[in-house]
Amino acid sequence: MLPRVPVSRLALSAVIGGLCLLLTNRTPAAPLDPAPMPHMAAADLDRALVAEIKARSEIMKNLEYLSDRIGGRLTGSASLERANKWTAEKMKEYGLENVRLEPWEIPYGWERGKASMRLVEPGTGVELTVASAGWSPGTKGKVTGDVVILNARTKDDLQAYKGKLKNAVILRQPPAKVAPVTDLNSYLGGRPTPKKEEPKKEEPKKEELKKEEPKKDAKEAPPFVRYDVKNEQPKEQPKGQPKDQPKEQPKKGGEFGGFGGQFQTELNDFLKAEGAACVVSDSGKPHGLLVTTGGWRGDRAVAEEGIARVYMVHEHYALLWRLASRPKETTRVEVEISNKFVPGPIVVYNTIGEVRGSEKPDEIVVVGAHLDSWELASGTTDNGTGSCVVLETARVVAALAKKGEAPKRTIRFCLFTGEEQGLYGSRKYVEKYKADLPKHSVALVHDTGTGKVLGFGTQGRTNIIPFLEPHLESLKAVDGWKGLDAGRQGGTDHLPFESAGVPGFACRQDADEYRLTHHTQSDTFDKAKEPNLIQGAQVMAVTAMRIANLPELLPRK
Ligand SMILES: [Zn+2]
């Protein structure tokens, strides 16, 4: 079940029924009036934004281009740079100002090569479907080795395996408990709705970002049924566990990413010294879905010499586990993995453009999403959808500005990169604009795929709800909108803003197929749902414009 916002509060604050009807039933809009208009009332601005998106959305056209013509957009890749340039051109075409590519650096790049694995004993010849984790090295050519279930939690435990792991293929965790796809609850949410009224204390925000350092590995770690993303309640997380890792997830030894600390390092060193071939992890998703995640860690030369890491489709992982669990028989596979590390540092970019504020141009409302993606598919729902919602929001806000209805504050549209490896692009933004952050009112981020936007979680900022909600009355007429809640969400680019003290809200979205699609080879354009994305852009545009036009910045406390 998805987080839902109680309707009663919305009912309480309902005032403008007539406007809602107008919004709902409005016939397709005329193009924004070319004649100069007197300044519009706020509700009329809302209506104009909503109607323009409905009438002339370019979301699907843009998303198709991004998905099919540019494709997967790994941070540091030529495809991502193409996407940066293309989105900058779009922003210029839409009439944004100060469009620029803001550079930052990653230490080294990575290119996916071949990853194949075949069962040779028992000799059924089954081809095992695998995908390398990002920034994983390859094997030393084609090797054949035993499948070994490595049952070790401490350095001492490893001694039992000494001399036994040459070319071994290592399994460390039992197969994930993957819910059948008919169990919709597992795929659509299942977490309690944060209650708006619930008093919540402020989080120690500085700590938040530190804890979230290895976050992507947490977020993407199998198994699937314990694999949530955006709608976590980090305050409930056990200490030391990354914030968007569900609390019921047993603490792991840092599989694939290094947050198991010292033992993970010891394990990697041991496996390398013993000449193991690779470590395999369960993709943890149903029906042959692969996943990938990972990122740069430490020095390139060291990473290159590390142990290869792959994800395997759940069906095959469970098969290998069953076979390797037989007490006396051997299970052997042939494996070949070839990935390439690209020497760095590599310059990558955030795409940024603005609609300048008419009264307080130095005060900023950020509307953002991440443009980078994984590259097993085309990154449509993670996060082509959010990127194209941001572009559409930019289009309509700029169109209104051209007609004399610029926002009072500057609305800055940001397409971040390096999100998938740990929110790096948005962190760089926050670093770069540190001195300006006191004049940032809010950062709004769209990053949970193609589902409708139900609201925004205000990250425990309960005071913002009564302050802002009366300004969002018009959204009650937008299908699916539930309102604001005090809940906290993890896993995307609003977090660096929050950690720096700027209200940072991620869209609370309907899960739709996101849990199945993202990071998989199934994250493709056919999953995109136009009505939902139009709805998302309507919410973004109205919310951003309203916040930009408030008399004051959003309150910090
Ligand atoms: Zn994402």
Side-chain angles (χ1 to χ4, degrees), residues 191-204:
R191 284 172 199 288
T193 304
K195 290 204 172 68
K196 289 183 179 194
E197 294 79 7
E198 190 181 337
K200 284 187 181 169
K201 288 188 179 158
E202 289 294 310
E203 290 265 302

Side-chain angles (χ1 to χ4, degrees), residues 219 230 370 382-383 419-420 447 514:
K219 173 169 131 181
K230 308 297 180 191
H370 70 88
D382 189 11
N383 187 19
E419 193 271 356
E420 293 294 358
D447 183 21
Y514 189 72

Side-chain angles (χ1 to χ4, degrees), residues 297-406:
R297 294 283 184 273
D299 185 66
R300 176 171 63 91
V302 174
E304 228 163 351
E305 288 306 309
I307 186 92
R309 296 157 295 144
V310 293
Y311 285 102
M312 179 177 284
V313 297
H314 173 66
E315 293 85 343
H316 291 157
Y317 189 90
L319 166 67
L320 273 197
W321 185 271
R322 290 193 300 271
L323 291 172
S325 298
R326 297 171 302 161
K328 288 183 182 152
E329 281 140 304
T330 303
T331 305
R332 284 172 75 75
V333 297
E334 180 188 85
V335 56
E336 183 170 20
I337 304 163
S338 58
N339 298 317
K340 190 173 144 193
F341 285 84
V342 183
I346 295 175
V347 178
V348 298
Y349 305 94
N350 293 333
T351 306
I352 301 206
E354 296 171 351
V355 174
R356 296 290 288 170
S358 57
E359 292 179 18
K360 298 176 177 177
D362 57 335
E363 294 186 359
I364 307 290
V365 167
V366 166
V367 173
H370 70 88
L371 186 59
D372 66 301
S373 77
W374 285 104
E375 25 59 290
L376 294 181
S378 47
T380 297
T381 66
D382 189 11
N383 187 19
T385 41
S387 299
C388 292
V389 162
V390 168
L391 285 178
E392 179 68 6
T393 306
R395 184 183 74 79
V396 296
V397 170
L400 263 189
K402 207 186 282 177
K403 307 304 172 199
E405 295 293 343

